[in-house]
Amino acid sequence: MKVMVLVKATADTEAGVMPTRDEIAAMGAFNEELVKAGIMLAGDGLKPSSHGARVRFAAEGRSVIDGPFAETRELVAGFWVWQVRSLQEAVEWLKRAPFNAGGGSPVEVEIRPFFEAEDFGDAFTPELQAQEQRLREQIDRSN
């Protein structure tokens, strides 16, 4: 099961407060454990929403909304992509993450499973599956 682990933004992350050397080292050690266990496929922190933009799609067209965005609790500050056996395994790994070790602002992290091919049923025809596979292979070659 592949999951995305979404680290929610806080007032500090939105203000651009950077982690301390100790926090970076602790997260680096945790990421190393994830990699050694074959769990971590990808992961990164994101700049504050003031550096971003949103594109709104509506019947009347597209519009661009420049950051920052108001609702911090709805923003993502970082992410991982993990390969795990179950949601419970992801939860157990995440509980070991070194968030809030120094007693700072609470951090909320969400785990969401990716859709798998079988989730789409008959709509995901063999032809569409082959197309998806070709695209994934092309992406892999590009990286």
Side-chain angles (χ1 to χ4, degrees), residues 85-138:
R85 289 182 293 278
S86 66
L87 185 61
Q88 187 58 39
E89 181 184 20
V91 168
E92 292 305 315
W93 273 101
L94 185 56
K95 286 164 68 175
R96 298 170 53 190
F99 289 113
N100 207 11
S105 300
V107 175
E108 188 171 304
V109 182
E110 179 178 341
I111 303 170
R112 301 266 302 274
F114 280 71
F115 279 111
E116 302 287 341
E118 58 271 8
D119 294 326
F120 294 99
D122 294 340
F124 198 34
T125 64
E127 296 80 17
L128 292 172
Q129 290 178 42
Q131 177 191 35
E132 175 77 12
Q133 184 61 37
R134 282 192 310 274
L135 291 172
R136 289 185 186 277
E137 289 169 1
Q138 185 176 352

Side-chain angles (χ1 to χ4, degrees), residues 58-81:
E60 56 276 0
R62 277 80 170 129
S63 58
V64 176
I65 304 130
D66 292 323
F69 308 118
E71 295 295 327
T72 302
R73 72 182 190 285
E74 296 177 3
L75 300 175
V76 175
F79 71 94
W80 284 286
V81 177

Side-chain angles (χ1 to χ4, degrees), residues 1-107:
M1 159 187 274
K2 190 162 67 170
V3 297
M4 179 167 276
V5 182
L6 301 162
V7 181
K8 299 297 183 109
T10 65
D12 283 347
T13 62
E14 276 298 288
V17 175
M18 298 303 287
T20 66
R21 181 188 328 234
D22 289 344
E23 290 168 333
I24 293 170
M27 191 58 72
F30 179 64
N31 285 340
E32 192 166 345
E33 286 183 58
L34 291 168
V35 169
K36 284 180 180 176
I39 301 291
M40 186 172 166
L41 303 177
D44 265 308
L46 301 172
K47 289 187 176 186
S49 68
S50 60
H51 295 260
R54 290 180 176 167
V55 178
R56 184 174 188 278
F57 296 82
E60 56 276 0
R62 277 80 170 129
S63 58
V64 176
I65 304 130
D66 292 323
F69 308 118
E71 295 295 327
T72 302
R73 72 182 190 285
E74 296 177 3
L75 300 175
V76 175
F79 71 94
W80 284 286
V81 177
W82 292 352
Q83 184 69 47
V84 292
R85 289 182 293 278
S86 66
L87 185 61
Q88 187 58 39
E89 181 184 20
V91 168
E92 292 305 315
W93 273 101
L94 185 56
K95 286 164 68 175
R96 298 170 53 190
F99 289 113
N100 207 11
S105 300
V107 175

